Structure formats: C-alpha cells, structure tokens
Amino acid sequence: PYTLPINQFAQLQKTLGKEVDVSPQLATYYYQFNTSRPPFNDPRVRKALNMAINKQAIVDAVFQGAAEPAKNPIPPTMWSYNDAVTDETYDPEAAKKQLDEAGWKSEGGTRTKDGKQLVVNYSLLTGVPTSDNEGQLFKQDMEKIGVKVNFVNTPPDDMSKVLTSHSFDTISFTWQGTP
C-alpha cells in the first residue's frame, strides 16, 4: 500500500485507467490549543471555539470527503477507539453564547474582555497546502463568532521548536501512526 495525497487520486485513476482503492489512514488531524496561556486556559473559550469549527466542511474541502470528523484523538481504525466519546456539535450561535458567558462580549463584530480583543495567533505551516486550507477555513469559522485570527507563518522545520517552547496559540496538527 502507498500513502498518496487525496487530491492526487483522480489523476492516478486516470493515468492507470483503473479504480484506486481507498482505505482509512491511521491518522488524526486536529487543532491544538495552547492551554498554558489565556484565553485558551479557560475551558469555556476552548469549548466555544470547538463549537464554531465546521469540521465537516474541513473534511469536504481539505480531504475531499475521504475522512470523517474526529471526535477524539484516537482514529476509528485503532483498537482503543471509543465511539461513545462525544464531540461538540457545530453551532456558531451556541459558541457565541458560550463566549458571552466567559466574559468575551461582542463589540463592533469582535470579541473583547477587559479591553482586550480575542485574537488567535494561528501557526500556519508554510509550504503545506493542507495547513493553508485548514487555516483559511478555521479563520472563516472564527470570524463568524467575532474572533480575530492572525496567521503566523511557521516553517515545518521549526514546528518542533514552536511546540516545545509553547510559542503558539493554535496549530493544525497531525497524529499519524503506522499499521
């Protein structure tokens, strides 16, 4: 078996003149929030941001429907996957209410608390098309609830340093295993 980016399957089928079998990948793609710094240390804020992310739209746009929205960090192909775990439903209106309850009020279309604007600095992996696509979708979803997103261009070679130094607010991350 070979791992091939989903956007290359149609071309491969056309070139081979045959159907290409697709099987689930042993991987989980997710947004990791830095919970060691405000406002991400507040579970109400993290819950609101999670409710505002349209995971199905990401699956459809980035993975061309060849994935399923993750509801926990364990992929469904692993023995330890727990299907009883639930995820927040995509609900931007409920996300807005959750942010209101956490003290982040909407003022002029942006969320503020104690005079500070709610801003997410998103570490965008440069040169990685899926990272750019996920980042753009994340930004669109956050704008719907009044959260500003700034992209911080992060070369893939710097990712380990960024993670270990906790110098990020959020990053799109992949856990990938081998069968």
Side-chain angles (χ1 to χ4, degrees):
Y2 296 95
T3 300
L4 190 67
I6 192 67
N7 62 353
Q8 294 179 7
F9 278 114
Q11 181 61 40
L12 181 64
Q13 281 183 268
K14 185 178 176 183
T15 301
L16 294 176
K18 298 179 181 180
E19 271 211 33
V20 176
D21 289 328
V22 179
S23 61
Q25 186 180 20
L26 187 58
T28 303
Y29 297 81
Y30 60 95
Y31 294 107
Q32 182 170 328
F33 294 102
N34 184 350
T35 61
S36 68
R37 62 168 74 172
F40 312 103
N41 60 346
D42 184 338
R44 298 170 300 175
V45 171
R46 293 193 309 269
K47 181 177 179 175
L49 298 182
N50 190 35
M51 287 190 290
I53 298 170
N54 187 342
K55 296 173 189 85
Q56 188 61 54
I58 294 167
V59 166
D60 293 343
V62 177
F63 302 103
Q64 299 178 10
E68 62 183 70
K71 60 182 180 176
N72 63 59
I74 307 295
T77 54
M78 288 190 68
W79 67 268
S80 55
Y81 176 76
N82 183 353
D83 196 41
V85 172
T86 59
D87 189 15
E88 302 299 333
T89 302
Y90 171 62
D91 189 343
E93 293 306 312
K96 290 176 187 178
K97 289 178 187 170
Q98 183 76 22
L99 287 173
D100 286 340
E101 291 171 12
W104 291 96
K105 303 297 182 188
S106 182
E107 295 179 13
T110 60
R111 297 275 167 179
T112 59
K113 180 178 181 178
D114 301 327
K116 289 185 173 182
Q117 189 178 28
L118 181 52
V119 176
V120 176
N121 292 308
Y122 184 104
S123 293
L124 187 69
L125 297 178
T126 54
V128 180
T130 54
S131 179
D132 185 51
N133 293 342
E134 291 167 2
Q136 295 298 332
L137 292 166
F138 179 85
K139 184 174 184 173
Q140 290 171 16
D141 287 340
M142 293 303 108
E143 287 174 347
K144 291 175 188 171
I145 62 168
V147 175
K148 181 175 172 48
V149 175
N150 294 325
F151 290 129
V152 179
N153 290 325
T154 307
D157 290 345
D158 292 349
M159 185 175 166
S160 181
K161 181 177 76 174
V162 167
L163 289 172
T164 57
S165 67
H166 297 159
S167 58
F168 68 96
D169 288 344
T170 192
I171 193 166
S172 174
F173 200 71
T174 305
W175 175 89
Q176 191 165 353
T178 53

